[in-house]
Amino acid sequence: QVQLVESGGGLVQAGGSLRLSCAASRHTFDVYAMGWFRQAPGKEREFVAAISRSDSTNYVASVKGRFTISRDSGKNTVYLQMNSLKPEDTAVYYCAADPKSILTGSPAYWGKGTQVTISS
């Protein structure tokens, strides 16, 4: 099992940047696929970004070119760098992990979430 703790959320003006961090309680490199989901008020949870065990990445179309997912294996941490933020990016962001090569739509492990709010 692995515990995930997100940090880095906050309130930012449109056009600004934030970097979210997801600290894992154990070694994740070559063990888990990792990623981020988000859920806005009144909407369903949606996939945002993922990084596989081989470090390939995938993004939802709406954030491609603005967000970058990466990992630091030495710190057991995954990051989501978010640039050119828009009000529609406002949501609770959840870190997720799967003991598979590629992250699925129903990851085995979830963090508790961190709030990201973008003002106009």
Side-chain angles (χ1 to χ4, degrees):
Q1 294 187 327
V2 60
Q3 284 72 53
L4 307 173
V5 180
E6 304 97 332
S7 62
L11 175 63
V12 179
Q13 279 191 306
S17 298
L18 279 175
R19 188 178 75 164
L20 304 184
S21 298
C22 174
S25 63
R26 58 155 291 170
H27 170 79
T28 56
F29 180 68
D30 269 350
V31 178
Y32 296 92
M34 305 288 292
W36 295 88
F37 290 76
R38 66 186 180 186
Q39 187 167 21
K43 294 187 176 182
E44 297 296 316
R45 180 189 64 190
E46 70 168 343
F47 166 79
V48 177
I51 185 164
S52 74
R53 295 200 306 203
S54 62
D55 284 341
S56 63
T57 59
N58 189 32
Y59 303 89
V60 66
S62 61
V63 309
K64 197 168 186 177
R66 299 189 297 121
F67 292 10
T68 302
I69 187 170
S70 62
R71 70 162 82 227
D72 184 331
S73 59
K75 296 181 179 179
N76 295 329
T77 300
V78 173
Y79 303 96
L80 185 67
Q81 178 66 47
M82 305 185 293
N83 298 326
S84 301
L85 285 162
K86 304 174 180 179
E88 50 263 46
D89 294 318
T90 294
V92 176
Y93 284 69
Y94 297 92
C95 182
D98 239 345
K100 300 179 179 180
S101 296
I102 302 173
L103 192 71
T104 69
S106 299
Y109 304 101
W110 295 90
K112 294 182 179 180
T114 185
Q115 178 70 50
V116 171
T117 303
I118 312 302
S119 62
S120 300

